[in-house]
Amino acid sequence: MDDLEKAILLVYEPSAADPGLRAQAMAFCEQAKADPSALFRLCLDRLHRSPLVPVQFWCLQALHDVLVLRYSSIPPADLPLLRSSLICLASDRPLPHSSPPFLRNKLAQVLATLIRLEYPTLWPSPFLHLLPRLPSAEPLAVDMFARLLVALDDDLLSQDYPRSPEEVAAASRVKDSMRHQCVPQIARHWFDAVSLYRSSAAALAAAALDTMKRYVSWIDITLVANDAFIPLLFDLILAPGSPEQLRSAAAGCVLAIVLKRMDPRSKFALLRRLRVNQVFADADLVLKLVTLITGYASEALECYKKLGSEEIEGPFSLELLEEALPSVFYVMQNCEEVDSGNVVDFLSDYVSTMKSPSQQQVAYLGQILEVIRVQICYDPAYRSNLNIPDKIGREEEDQMSERRKELFTLFRSVCRVVPDVTQLFIRTLLANALSSSEMSVEEVEAALTLFYRYGETVSEEAIRTGGGLLGELIPMLLLARFSCHLHRVVALVYLETVSRYIKFVQENVQYIPHVLAAFLDERGIHHPNLNVSRRASYLFMRAVKLLKAKLVPFLDTILQSLQDTVAHFTSVDWMSKELKCSGSEDGSQTFEAIGLLLGMEDVLPEKQSEYLAAFLNPLCQQVKALLLDSKVQELEESSAKVVALQQIIMALNALSKGFNERLVIGSRPMVGIMFKQTLDVVLQILVMFPNIKPLRNKITSFLHRMVDILGTSIFPCLHVALKQLLVENEPKDMVDFLLLINQLICKFDTSVGSLLEEIFPAIASRLFVFLSSDAFSSGSGANTEEIRELQELQRMLYTFLHVMATHDLSSVFLAPNCKGYLDAIMRLLLLTSCTHKDMLLRKLLLFGEIVLAQKVMYEKFGDAFIIHFLSKGLPAAHCPQDLAEQYYQKLQIFQQGNDIKTLKSFYQSLIENLKQHQNGSFVFR
């Protein structure tokens, strides 16, 4: 062992030496690569003499690096030796049988690289040297030739990998030369190698077939699709004792032949010659050759699409396709490894070809429906994970949701082609699920899901009238009680499906008791699973919105059924993890449904008041009890009492959604009195705990509802409410507060003038604290959540000012206790209109507010305002005298003709001029 070999061993076995010695070894090896000529001789010598695998691999890697990175620096005189030596290693004196596969692969890669660089111009004969030796060569040489063709395909010829333009050109050059020179001989070699070694060395025969599969796409198809090869390939596929490796390799070659691009008539003739139908006859074989089955079916479909209208080929192409379909169905139902996406695409493509399906095609469509049913079934292994969803269950649901998307697209296609067949299929599924206690959770869920999805394909008219079999299926659904109804996924899809077809009940009122039972009994709101119960609450609310007046005769039944649910809502432990993570469907929709029912004028006034009091009074009593108990202790946001109060306010808010101002104030004033009393109770929470934000948010939301339904009768409550909402509020709270004020202004116009005069100073002072000149930092923290909240508050302020101006409330700015803030507001508006980076804030809306404010001041102070503005305001902004005079003229014209649009347009141009004079940074001082 010389120094180079010792160094190579140290490089490849780092644990055998200290880092310093290994670094020296690496440097020594790199030095040996300096001279390409010397390196060639060194590597070729070691490849023939050294028995050490690491040394042989280093030599091959060094040769590969030189060819790839420094080919142009190789002396031309050295190349003949390199060519002949590599050919010798690949044929006459191959690497020993004990050589590991990676070493032979590396030799093949080096030889393939040299062929890519030189064939055929500089080196026209590599294949002419190798091929004549193969018939009598040892198995090692046959193996080496297969590896060479694989390496050539991987590194250059295959189109499965992205290639540079130079590589594409090189691949075309090599392919063209091989076609003219040696491809027929290579094809003959494949046949001979498979025939010779199929019994004695199946792996070697399979290697030859795997190579052939790679080359079929670009060689003459007659070289492999002929009377010699086809029988050989199918003999390997069909022979009972054929090794799986060999059978799979043969099937891969047949698939490559099937997928070969050609015109449809040639492809049709080719498919008819193949004996794939013999594979269809063996169910076990079908499952072993899934890719061949689906690939063949896809190509048969393409032939039918292109030739189906032909008088001669059309019927035969359809026959060819339909011969493959049962095997495709069998694969989808019984093989877990199949790429279902490709098969679903194929089936969708097949269904799309149907216009008026034949009896046979109708039968196939029925089988497609069964395939879909099987594919959308959950794995029973996840049953418990899906019932009470954990991480595994949620992941399975997400994955199934993705898998089902294409299957549902296919299902809709089938529904459109054969709706009657689909209805019969669903009826059979439902009947089986109801009659058999052994039908699994997964099967029942799949049956209901398909019925639900069928509703997407029919018109609302068909649902209302029960068209087709729907008149039978929907009542069957409403009366259904499955043995596995307690499972979450079954219960949820059942309720969704009932909701999907609820319009049938709208037209067929005799089924109202059944639909109510579905929502209110243990299948719905009283289901033991909280997720199901809450979803049922939401869906019941939607059903009430639709059926509404038709439910009045059942009001007693409904309310009695919901008594325990209502009590549970306000007494449950809302701090539990399960409830805190439940999302937007929090159960309050039950109260909303009750409110929708009680808020109808069809309900007798006495009954309405009685029912409403039965819900409002207990909730108000709970609030009073909680407040009384809380007086002696400080409450934290996360305390159970605060959460309970939030839930009560949510319930009251939801209950009020069924009522409107016309009923509450007009036709049923007693209802208005009850809601007013309820609001008084709720506001006690705000008085006691004005700084607990979750409570303040819920109360603000409730106030919005009360403004909608109580009208002006809410005024006595507003002073207390608005005062408390301004206590210790932050920018986000102020946004919510201004939204409420804007609602009051839009609803009551000038009627809230006195109220605004009272609270405007508090509003303005808080706003100027938040929106001070240094509030919007331009430093590294400028994009923080706090800055975004301030920006939102700024936008809301301008909306608030605009709402005041457009509802004849500009005079509030001039009230004695408010006019002190007017100058600051004007400055802020002008500054924003000129410098703010958000163009939405700089639009004409702001100019309109400014102009309206100036109009009010001109009306109030007359020429004194103009003199002050022209002599002090505009000069301070460096406004040229001519512009100031034009402004005065425009303002006078405005007062005469009230043309605010013209004045606003001029004022905008004035501001733009001032902005240019001050480089975009002017401000009134």
Side-chain angles (χ1 to χ4, degrees):
M1 186 185 302
D2 60 16
D3 290 343
L4 177 62
E5 292 179 340
K6 291 177 183 177
I8 292 171
L9 292 178
L10 286 173
V11 170
Y12 283 115
E13 298 179 19
S15 61
D18 64 79
L21 186 60
R22 183 167 181 265
Q24 293 179 24
M26 292 176 68
F28 186 81
C29 291
E30 286 301 312
Q31 187 178 2
K33 297 178 182 178
D35 181 1
S37 219
L39 180 65
F40 277 177
R41 285 168 173 75
L42 176 68
C43 290
L44 294 174
D45 176 66
R46 291 299 191 281
L47 284 170
H48 285 292
R49 287 196 306 106
S50 177
L52 300 173
V53 171
V55 173
Q56 292 176 325
F57 185 82
W58 184 89
C59 291
L60 290 171
Q61 185 63 54
L63 291 174
H64 182 261
D65 290 344
V66 170
L67 290 173
V68 172
L69 302 174
R70 294 190 289 163
Y71 177 76
S72 60
S73 66
I74 300 173
D78 291 337
L79 289 170
L81 174 62
L82 177 62
R83 296 165 190 153
S84 61
S85 297
L86 292 177
I87 288 292
C88 183
L89 285 169
S91 57
D92 297 334
R93 295 175 59 189
L95 295 173
H97 184 73
S98 59
S99 299
F102 70 82
L103 193 63
R104 282 178 269 170
N105 288 342
K106 180 56 68 174
L107 173 60
Q109 187 182 34
V110 174
L111 189 52
T113 301
L114 190 58
I115 291 172
R116 174 168 65 91
L117 291 168
E118 298 190 339
Y119 178 76
T121 308
L122 300 176
W123 188 24
S125 60
F127 298 105
L128 298 180
H129 279 102
L130 291 170
L131 284 166
R133 294 170 168 80
L134 288 176
S136 60
E138 294 183 2
L140 283 176
V142 175
D143 173 78
M144 198 64 234
F145 186 68
R147 292 178 191 274
L148 170 61
L149 293 180
V150 169
L152 195 59
D153 183 65
D154 282 340
D155 293 349
L156 182 65
L157 305 181
S158 175
Q159 296 180 343
D160 295 336
Y161 311 102
R163 306 288 191 193
S164 67
E166 294 78 11
E167 289 173 326
V168 172
S172 298
R173 166 174 49 81
V174 171
K175 285 179 181 177
D176 289 342
S177 301
M178 290 181 70
R179 287 190 190 100
H180 287 100
Q181 185 189 66
C182 59
V183 166
Q185 294 93 314
I186 292 174
R188 180 67 197 183
H189 159 71
W190 289 329
F191 182 86
D192 291 342
V194 174
S195 301
L196 180 62
Y197 294 110
R198 59 181 293 185
S199 299
S200 59
L204 192 56
L209 289 172
D210 285 336
T211 307
M212 169 183 159
K213 175 184 68 176
R214 292 166 173 259
Y215 283 69
V216 166
S217 64
W218 59 270
I219 66 174
D220 183 357
I221 193 64
T222 61
L223 294 173
V224 289
N226 53 43
D227 293 339
F229 253 117
I230 296 301
L232 173 62
L233 293 173
F234 276 94
D235 187 37
L236 295 172
I237 291 171
L238 299 170
S242 186
E244 285 305 318
Q245 183 183 14
L246 201 53
R247 175 182 286 120
S248 178
C253 289
V254 174
L255 178 60
I257 293 170
V258 166
L259 298 178
K260 174 82 170 178
R261 287 184 296 180
M262 59 186 72
D263 69 85
R265 283 187 170 78
S266 299
K267 175 60 70 71
F268 172 64
L270 174 65
L271 295 182
R272 292 190 73 182
R273 286 175 56 203
L274 298 177
R275 297 158 57 193
V276 180
N277 58 343
Q278 296 182 48
V279 177
F280 300 154
D282 188 332
D284 292 336
L285 205 54
V286 165
L287 293 181
K288 293 175 182 177
L289 305 176
V290 168
T291 307
L292 173 59
I293 299 300
T294 55
Y296 176 88
S298 296
E299 291 300 307
L301 175 60
E302 287 303 309
C303 283
Y304 172 64
K305 287 165 63 177
K306 293 170 181 174
L307 301 175
S309 59
E310 300 289 330
E311 186 174 341
I312 299 176
E313 289 96 341
F316 290 109
S317 63
L318 178 60
E319 181 182 325
L320 202 68
L321 168 62
E322 294 186 340
E323 191 177 35
L325 285 174
S327 295
V328 175
F329 301 146
Y330 185 75
V331 162
M332 283 289 284
Q333 292 169 331
N334 296 280
C335 182
E336 295 181 358
E337 290 76 24
V338 66
D339 184 350
S340 60
N342 287 339
V343 179
V344 170
D345 287 343
F346 159 75
L347 293 176
S348 295
D349 212 5
Y350 171 60
V351 174
S352 70
T353 65
M354 296 185 187
K355 299 298 183 285
S356 300
S358 65
Q359 188 174 354
Q360 181 63 61
Q361 288 177 321
V362 169
Y364 285 139
L365 290 169
Q367 289 184 265
I368 291 175
L369 289 172
E370 178 60 19
V371 166
I372 295 170
R373 186 197 69 82
V374 171
Q375 290 293 311
I376 68 170
C377 281
Y378 281 104
D379 187 335
Y382 299 107
R383 188 175 298 171
S384 61
N385 305 97
L386 290 166
N387 191 30
I388 302 175
D390 54 15
K391 182 180 178 182
I392 296 173
R394 287 189 290 271
E395 288 177 354
E396 175 63 14
E397 269 191 298
D398 291 342
Q399 291 172 7
M400 178 58 80
S401 178
E402 283 299 312
R403 288 199 297 269
R404 285 179 168 184
K405 286 180 180 177
E406 291 184 345
L407 289 162
F408 289 150
T409 300
L410 173 60
F411 178 72
R412 287 192 292 270
S413 298
V414 176
C415 291
R416 282 191 290 269
V417 176
V418 282
D420 296 343
V421 171
T422 308
Q423 290 184 13
L424 283 170
F425 181 76
I426 293 171
R427 184 176 68 175
T428 302
L429 292 180
L430 289 179
N432 290 342
L434 289 169
S435 63
S436 172
S437 59
E438 297 180 1
M439 200 165 184
S440 70
V441 167
E442 296 73 28
E443 291 172 319
V444 173
E445 192 274 342
L448 288 169
T449 297
L450 290 179
F451 190 19
Y452 173 84
R453 292 290 172 177
Y454 179 73
E456 296 176 344
T457 68
V458 296
S459 65
E460 289 188 5
E461 179 65 22
I463 292 176
R464 278 199 301 269
T465 60
L469 287 178
L470 288 178
E472 176 185 347
L473 289 173
I474 297 173
M476 185 188 300
L477 174 74
L478 297 177
L479 294 167
R481 292 177 184 271
F482 302 101
S483 59
C484 54
H485 220 128
L486 286 179
H487 197 283
R488 185 184 68 93
V489 294
V490 172
L492 285 175
V493 73
Y494 173 77
L495 291 169
E496 298 289 351
T497 309
V498 169
S499 297
R500 168 75 77 188
Y501 294 99
I502 195 73
K503 289 184 178 177
F504 173 81
V505 181
Q506 194 177 19
E507 294 291 323
N508 299 272
V509 293
Q510 68 271 28
Y511 293 106
I512 287 180
H514 302 304
V515 79
L516 289 176
F519 282 119
L520 299 177
D521 64 21
E522 70 282 356
R523 292 172 293 173
I525 290 175
H526 286 90
H527 195 283
N529 187 297
L530 184 66
N531 297 123
V532 175
S533 176
R534 289 186 166 183
R535 184 62 179 168
S537 174
Y538 168 74
L539 294 174
F540 175 60
M541 179 269 294
R542 283 177 46 188
V544 168
K545 280 186 176 180
L546 181 70
L547 298 174
K548 231 172 178 182
K550 293 182 171 62
L551 298 178
V552 172
F554 305 92
L555 200 51
D556 280 325
T557 303
I558 295 170
L559 298 181
Q560 288 173 12
S561 177
L562 292 174
Q563 278 183 347
D564 59 337
T565 304
V566 169
H568 180 72
F569 180 81
T570 55
S571 62
V572 72
D573 176 17
W574 290 98
M575 297 305 294
S576 69
K577 181 179 179 182
E578 183 183 16
L579 296 178
K580 287 172 72 175
C581 302
S582 59
S584 59
E585 291 175 5
D586 50 24
S588 65
Q589 289 83 12
T590 299
F591 288 88
E592 186 173 349
I594 292 170
L596 289 167
L597 290 168
L598 298 185
M600 292 187 289
E601 293 195 13
D602 304 76
V603 182
L604 293 174
E606 300 79 13
K607 281 287 186 182
Q608 192 172 51
S609 299
E610 178 188 339
Y611 289 142
L612 186 59
F615 287 100
L616 291 180
N617 292 343
L619 292 173
C620 289
Q621 290 302 320
Q622 289 182 56
V623 171
K624 292 176 182 177
L626 286 167
L627 291 178
L628 186 64
D629 190 40
S630 302
K631 284 183 178 179
V632 295
Q633 57 178 318
E634 287 291 325
L635 291 184
E636 297 182 358
E637 287 188 7
S638 59
S639 70
K641 288 186 175 63
V642 168
V643 176
L645 286 170
Q646 287 184 68
Q647 294 305 123
I648 293 170
I649 299 169
M650 285 170 57
L652 291 169
N653 199 1
L655 190 67
S656 70
K657 290 180 181 179
F659 296 84
N660 57 65
E661 183 179 353
R662 183 175 55 80
L663 181 137
V664 170
I665 300 303
S667 59
R668 307 285 169 88
M670 190 60 197
V671 172
I673 293 172
M674 284 192 283
F675 272 115
K676 173 69 168 52
Q677 293 169 343
T678 301
L679 177 59
D680 289 335
V681 173
V682 170
L683 289 179
Q684 292 177 30
I685 304 173
L686 192 60
V687 171
M688 284 189 65
F689 308 110
N691 56 349
I692 297 181
K693 295 189 183 302
L695 288 176
R696 178 156 54 190
N697 294 338
K698 292 291 188 297
I699 293 170
T700 301
S701 178
F702 186 56
L703 277 168
H704 280 290
R705 284 294 311 137
M706 294 300 100
V707 169
D708 279 341
I709 70 172
L710 290 179
T712 54
S713 66
I714 198 177
F715 279 14
C717 303
L718 289 177
H719 295 271
V720 173
L722 298 179
K723 178 183 176 182
Q724 293 302 114
L725 288 174
L726 284 169
V727 174
E728 296 184 19
N729 65 358
E730 296 178 358
K732 192 173 182 181
D733 305 317
M734 201 65 190
V735 169
D736 296 335
F737 180 85
L738 291 178
L739 276 172
L740 179 61
I741 297 298
N742 288 345
Q743 181 193 15
L744 289 169
I745 295 172
C746 292
K747 185 171 180 66
F748 301 117
D749 293 321
T750 55
S751 299
V752 294
S754 59
L755 177 65
L756 274 178
E757 287 183 14
E758 180 183 336
I759 64 171
F760 186 80
I763 296 174
S765 60
R766 294 296 291 168
L767 287 170
F768 287 125
V769 169
F770 294 137
L771 301 175
S772 59
S773 58
D774 60 346
F776 297 93
S777 169
S778 58
S780 59
N783 290 321
T784 64
E785 182 63 28
E786 292 178 1
I787 296 298
R788 285 192 289 271
E789 288 181 1
L790 288 174
Q791 291 169 342
E792 177 62 24
L793 177 58
Q794 192 180 46
R795 283 190 287 269
M796 185 54 65
L797 165 62
Y798 299 137
T799 302
F800 165 60
L801 294 175
H802 175 66
V803 169
M804 286 185 65
T806 54
H807 286 79
D808 294 326
L809 289 168
S810 300
S811 57
V812 171
F813 299 130
L814 301 176
N817 61 333
C818 301
K819 63 182 180 181
Y821 298 96
L822 183 59
D823 186 55
I825 289 174
M826 292 296 294
R827 294 186 187 196
L828 182 62
L829 287 170
L830 288 168
L831 175 64
T832 305
S833 66
C834 291
T835 65
H836 202 285
K837 63 181 180 180
D838 187 349
M839 288 302 297
L840 291 176
L841 288 179
R842 294 171 58 186
K843 60 187 180 179
L844 291 172
L845 176 65
L846 299 178
F847 292 111
E849 293 161 357
I850 295 169
V851 169
L852 282 172
Q854 292 178 1
K855 167 182 177 290
V856 172
M857 288 188 284
Y858 188 43
E859 290 172 348
K860 184 82 173 178
F861 301 110
D863 288 340
F865 163 71
I866 293 296
I867 293 169
H868 174 82
F869 200 56
L870 294 179
S871 62
K872 295 184 178 180
L874 292 177
H878 305 284
C879 178
Q881 184 64 31
D882 60 326
L883 286 177
E885 291 176 358
Q886 288 181 44
Y887 171 72
Y888 176 59
Q889 293 170 3
K890 294 289 184 183
L891 189 60
Q892 285 183 318
I893 294 172
F894 167 68
Q895 286 301 111
Q896 295 168 7
N898 222 22
D899 184 4
I900 191 169
K901 187 174 181 181
T902 302
L903 180 60
K904 193 190 322 183
S905 176
F906 171 77
Y907 196 74
Q908 183 179 7
S909 64
L910 170 67
I911 296 298
E912 289 297 326
N913 275 310
L914 291 176
K915 181 180 175 183
Q916 292 171 10
H917 278 82
Q918 293 296 309
N919 295 320
S921 61
F922 98 89
V923 62
F924 285 150
R925 302 186 184 281

